Amino acid sequence: MGYKWRRIRLLGEENHNAPKVVFDEMPQSMNLWLLLVQLIIMAGAEDGEDGSTGITSRLLRGKQDSDPIGDYSNCDVVGAVSRPGDSSITAALVFSIFVAVCGSFAFGCAAGYTSPVQEEIMSDLSLSTAEFSLFGSMITVGAFVGAISSGKLSDFVGRKGAMGISEMFTVAGWISIVISQGAWSLDIGRLLQGVGVGIILYTAPIYIAEIAPKNLRGGSVFINQLMICLGISTMFFCGTAISWRVLGLIGIAPLVVQFLCLSFIPESPRYLAKIGRAEECEAVLQRLRGKNVDISLEAADIEVRDKLAMRWVIHEYTNTLESIPRGNFFLLFQRQYAYALTVVLGLMIFGQLNGNTGILYYASEIFEYAGCSSSIGSVAMAIIQLPSAVVGVFVMDRSGRRRIGMISAAGCCFACIITALSFVLKENRWSKSASPYLVLIGILVYSVAYTIGMGGLPFLMMSEILPLNIKGTAGGLATGVNWFSSWVVSYTFNFLLDWSSAGTFFILAGVNALLVLFIAKVVPETKGRTLEEIQESVTHFRVRA
């Protein structure tokens, strides 16, 4: 695909009379609103004959202080061009994101399946508490296996191929569970489910981040978290009305939709560029951005082969990345990647040790111990998560990753303190009547705070800041660490509650306080920057004074 550049002057040439470059932009809140609406109704209008998509235009004159690409006043470009990485919503982009997050919805269904069906399965199959607990925990074992292989797998077969393999494991797991007549087939099914969701939990956010324009990337990736919450809520609500076998069939439905649609979405353009299929990369970008949109600047950011003609918009780091050997696990521990790896692994570990997995798995027990109705508490949690995730989609690109992350962690800290104090009141018999209400408030506040920010932030940052040449290996490691941390929390949480309910939540409050400091001091802001700009900055990180 060729580009119609009529006059271009490279950096360093004098050109005081060059016309200013014109960019098309839409307010981010409107972009996110339209994207969310189109995802919900699964429809999108075709581009107009003139290429318009309802975008509000404005002129950016000269070099902007916040613009990391370069001085556009030294360039002479006739006609309007799009700023690299910024774009409007297209039907192809919406459909591709929808297909990807079908896997996220399936993960939410798997995660929320065991809670509403515990008594029915134990009764029908005569399972002991220990046998059912093993069944429930097998998903984390399988997910760890899937996670550590997900990065290499997605690099070998592509993002679409990895999603297809994830479907096969997850569908096989659901079928094994639905036809089970004993504990062993339940465990095998749950293990297979885990492998599938371990792969998709890495692949879906990576794919979305690589196809979305930078002005929509944060909200687009956070739709992954929204669909996970929707899957959990679906299981919670449907599980009270239908049998556990039929509920398992519902869990298969989003995977069938994804399987039927997967062949109609494009491969990630950045993956295509990585494996040397530059022409296909450009074609995919054109399809995703719209047929009349000039994608040359964004393609130049991605493709090293354009560096001579487009030197004024290509980052120097691309030459460095191309010269680095790929695929070596020990490459991750080179100094230039230490910062990116620290950020991602820190968020993954803190995102689990702050207590979400334990609270989700043992919510009923927490409510019962506090004297609150477990059914009311569980339904309230299911109801509150979905609108919280919708809010997260809207605010992530508008307010920035760091701010939302710190607010989320601070909210979780506050909620844990409330819950801990309520157990102190109950254990000391100071105000037994108020304790159930305070626990309910604390858990609901925690659910809202976690879902808005920390529920999706670790995977969003993973998809953004890991350099392309180590993304597969580092992403697999990060997702594996996430699932291992999840297993540690889910295994120990019940023992901690038996030791001291108040002490458990005071510990969680301390972990969340440390998380606030970690985000404030270590995590970078990636809002409004292309993946190439982000990855260049983190591989040349300088410690803050």
Side-chain angles (χ1 to χ4, degrees), residues 324-325 328-341 469-470:
I324 295 175
N328 190 338
F329 178 79
F330 295 101
L331 178 67
L332 300 181
F333 303 102
Q334 292 187 6
R335 184 175 182 180
Q336 60 187 332
Y337 302 128
Y339 175 57
L341 205 60
N469 60 308
I470 65 163

Side-chain angles (χ1 to χ4, degrees), residues 99 101-103 105-106 109 167 249-259:
V99 174
V101 297
C102 282
F105 182 85
C109 291
E167 290 168 7
L249 295 176
I250 292 177
I252 298 177
L255 297 166
V256 174
V257 173
Q258 188 180 51
F259 173 77

Side-chain angles (χ1 to χ4, degrees), residues 282-393:
E282 296 164 13
V284 167
L285 273 178
Q286 195 73 69
R287 177 181 172 186
L288 291 170
R289 303 295 180 254
K291 61 182 180 181
N292 294 319
V293 174
D294 187 348
I295 52 96
S296 51
L297 295 183
E298 185 174 4
D301 269 347
I302 299 173
E303 300 166 24
V304 176
R305 73 180 184 87
D306 289 330
K307 63 183 177 181
L308 293 178
M310 303 294 181
R311 187 171 47 185
W312 60 285
V313 290
I314 297 178
H315 304 288
E316 293 179 359
Y317 86 99
T318 52
N319 293 326
T320 303
L321 292 183
E322 285 294 306
S323 65
I324 295 175
R326 302 181 181 191
N328 190 338
F329 178 79
F330 295 101
L331 178 67
L332 300 181
F333 303 102
Q334 292 187 6
R335 184 175 182 180
Q336 60 187 332
Y337 302 128
Y339 175 57
L341 205 60
T342 298
V343 171
V344 173
L345 293 181
L347 288 174
M348 290 292 183
I349 293 171
F350 274 117
Q352 291 298 333
L353 296 185
N354 73 344
N356 176 69
T357 301
I359 291 173
L360 178 65
Y361 286 5
Y362 299 104
S364 297
E365 184 175 347
I366 294 171
F367 289 131
E368 288 179 359
Y369 185 75
C372 179
S373 170
S374 60
S375 59
I376 292 176
S378 298
V379 171
M381 284 181 65
I383 293 174
I384 204 69
Q385 283 191 11
L386 189 57
S388 303
V390 172
V391 172
V393 172

Side-chain angles (χ1 to χ4, degrees), residues 248-276:
L249 295 176
I250 292 177
I252 298 177
L255 297 166
V256 174
V257 173
Q258 188 180 51
F259 173 77
L260 294 175
C261 298
L262 197 60
S263 60
F264 297 102
I265 65 173
E267 182 55 88
S268 160
R270 286 176 171 84
Y271 172 75
L272 293 173
K274 178 183 178 182
I275 61 175

Side-chain angles (χ1 to χ4, degrees), residues 176-255:
S176 179
I177 290 172
V178 168
I179 65 175
S180 289
Q181 299 298 324
W184 68 271
S185 53
L186 282 176
D187 295 341
I188 292 175
R190 195 67 168 165
L191 181 68
L192 292 173
Q193 272 187 345
V195 175
V197 300
I199 295 172
I200 198 64
L201 201 58
Y202 166 81
T203 308
I206 290 293
Y207 176 78
I208 296 171
E210 291 181 347
I211 68 170
K214 70 176 185 180
N215 56 318
L216 296 174
R217 190 178 60 243
S220 299
V221 175
F222 216 81
I223 293 175
N224 176 68
Q225 178 65 23
L226 170 63
M227 296 303 287
I228 292 173
C229 293
L230 181 60
I232 293 173
S233 298
T234 299
M235 291 291 107
F236 274 40
F237 285 122
C238 295
T240 61
I242 59 179
S243 71
W244 61 276
R245 297 186 192 273
V246 176
L247 191 64
L249 295 176
I250 292 177
I252 298 177
L255 297 166

Side-chain angles (χ1 to χ4, degrees), residues 24-48 51-56 82 85-98 211-217 219-220 223 285-293 295 298 393-394 397:
D24 286 336
E25 288 192 356
M26 177 187 286
Q28 291 178 353
S29 58
M30 182 61 71
N31 269 341
L32 293 179
W33 169 250
L34 289 177
L35 178 58
L36 186 59
V37 170
Q38 288 182 348
L39 283 172
I40 293 173
I41 66 175
M42 296 172 54
E46 295 291 334
D47 291 340
S52 62
T53 52
I55 304 175
T56 303
S82 298
D86 279 359
S87 186
S88 59
I89 301 167
T90 63
L93 176 64
V94 170
F95 183 69
S96 299
I97 294 175
F98 166 75
I211 68 170
K214 70 176 185 180
N215 56 318
L216 296 174
R217 190 178 60 243
S220 299
I223 293 175
L285 273 178
Q286 195 73 69
R287 177 181 172 186
L288 291 170
R289 303 295 180 254
K291 61 182 180 181
N292 294 319
V293 174
I295 52 96
E298 185 174 4
V393 172
F394 278 95
D397 271 324

Side-chain angles (χ1 to χ4, degrees), residues 120-135:
E120 187 179 5
I121 290 181
M122 291 179 65
S123 176
D124 287 356
L125 301 182
S126 302
L127 300 183
S128 65
T129 301
E131 288 175 325
F132 187 85
S133 298
L134 179 62
F135 162 62

